[in-house]
Amino acid sequence: MRRREFLTVAAATGSAVAAPPAPDAALGFALGSSALHGWAHVGVLRGCERAGIQPYAIAGTSAGAAVGALWAAGLPVDAVIDAVRRFGWQDTPSALPALLGIQRRNDALREEIERAVGGRRIGELPVRFAAVASDALNGESVVIDSGPVGLAVEASCAAPVRNEPVPLGGRRLLDGSLTSPVPVAAARQLGARRVVAVDVAYRPYEEAPSTASDYAFQAVHILTNALAREQTRQVDHLIRLDIHHLMHRRLDIDALIDAGEAALLRLAPKLLQK
């Protein structure tokens, strides 16, 4: 699998300002794509709060970008939970617009993120942050590390077919899971010296396909998981959870959060070593 190029988009200024060197122990988190599984990322945040772990940098893809932005903004976990509930992740979207060829911008997500972070731009957040999206025209991964937070998250979460590509920095951007399902390289680009990758995606073995649409869904996730394995091969620490059973018949948000928290706390003694 060839290495994919990572490009920085300075959403408003045209170029990013070079940051000072990171400390040797700088800890970064790479929060992967995951849709509803993204509730487990909230558990990772809660585990860090309990263990007294403060990240130096957070990179996120798709749902990981949404949670990561709130984390980087310094919101306590209870406020993050309240904000994520307002995202409407637990609502089942209608397939009718996609079947009719209708695509929409995710204005509600962008506006909720902007409200939660108080309108701050990425460079104004207390923790370094980047959202990763995919260039719809050339297939490159795009690391968005400046500009409006909500716009960056919207681009990272722009699901193909359902959402319109998001224009940003002269590009048309789609969901980051297409090129960087677990954005380890982006976390390192932000200056992290040690990176925790959090991979909570759906696994192809978690539910047997039966219909044609099931097999199409399965094919996408076979590719996503293969790319995620490649991107996490050299990571310092890996949290990889199989949690689809917690939402198969009934979405159990509390259990998803608990699973992320428990995984982080198991890893915490190593993360606290300098």
Side-chain angles (χ1 to χ4, degrees):
M1 189 174 297
R2 73 180 182 88
R3 183 183 299 274
R4 294 180 181 270
E5 183 180 2
F6 280 75
L7 302 174
T8 297
V9 171
T13 63
S15 61
V17 177
D24 291 340
L27 181 65
F29 282 81
L31 304 183
S33 60
S34 50
L36 282 168
H37 295 192
W39 280 106
H41 291 315
V42 178
V44 171
L45 187 167
R46 190 167 71 184
C48 284
E49 279 195 2
R50 285 188 58 187
I53 294 170
Q54 176 63 35
Y56 175 83
I58 301 167
T61 294
S62 195
V67 175
L70 303 178
W71 189 3
L75 272 66
V77 67
D78 289 343
V80 171
I81 291 172
D82 289 343
V84 174
R85 286 187 185 279
R86 291 192 294 271
F87 293 166
W89 283 354
Q90 61 271 24
D91 302 330
T92 302
S94 171
L96 183 60
L99 292 174
L100 296 176
I102 300 171
Q103 296 176 303
R104 296 189 176 95
R105 289 281 298 271
N106 199 342
D107 296 326
L109 173 65
R110 182 182 71 252
E111 291 167 1
E112 186 56 50
I113 290 285
E114 289 296 336
R115 186 180 304 113
V117 304
R120 287 173 291 176
R121 300 171 75 81
I122 291 175
E124 297 170 330
L125 301 181
V127 175
R128 294 184 185 183
F129 171 72
V132 180
S134 304
D135 190 310
L137 301 183
N138 61 23
E140 292 174 334
S141 288
V142 180
V143 178
I144 309 168
D145 62 358
S146 64
V149 180
L151 189 61
V153 172
E154 181 192 10
S156 186
C157 294
V161 181
R162 189 169 71 239
N163 296 127
E164 293 179 5
V166 175
L168 183 60
R171 298 173 177 270
R172 295 180 63 76
L173 302 180
L174 286 172
D175 199 306
S177 66
L178 299 172
T179 54
S180 187
V182 188
V184 174
R188 295 198 190 284
Q189 181 174 310
L190 290 172
R193 302 297 178 86
R194 299 179 298 149
V195 175
V196 180
V198 185
D199 179 5
V200 294
Y202 168 80
R203 315 292 174 206
Y205 50 74
E206 289 188 290
E207 188 173 345
S210 57
T211 67
S213 60
D214 288 345
Y215 276 100
F217 179 84
Q218 190 83 335
V220 169
H221 284 279
I222 288 171
L223 294 172
T224 298
N225 276 266
L227 183 53
R229 285 193 298 272
E230 181 69 19
Q231 293 180 337
T232 59
R233 194 179 301 278
Q234 302 298 325
V235 77
D236 302 277
H237 304 284
L238 174 61
I239 293 175
R240 188 176 189 272
L241 297 177
D242 293 354
I243 51 178
H244 190 65
H245 64 282
L246 299 175
M247 55 169 289
H248 179 50
R249 289 183 173 83
R250 181 183 68 86
L251 174 62
D252 192 336
I253 291 173
D254 290 336
L256 289 166
I257 294 174
D258 289 346
E261 179 182 12
L264 188 283
L265 291 176
R266 287 193 295 270
L267 184 60
K270 293 182 179 178
L271 301 183
L272 290 168
Q273 295 173 359
K274 302 299 184 182

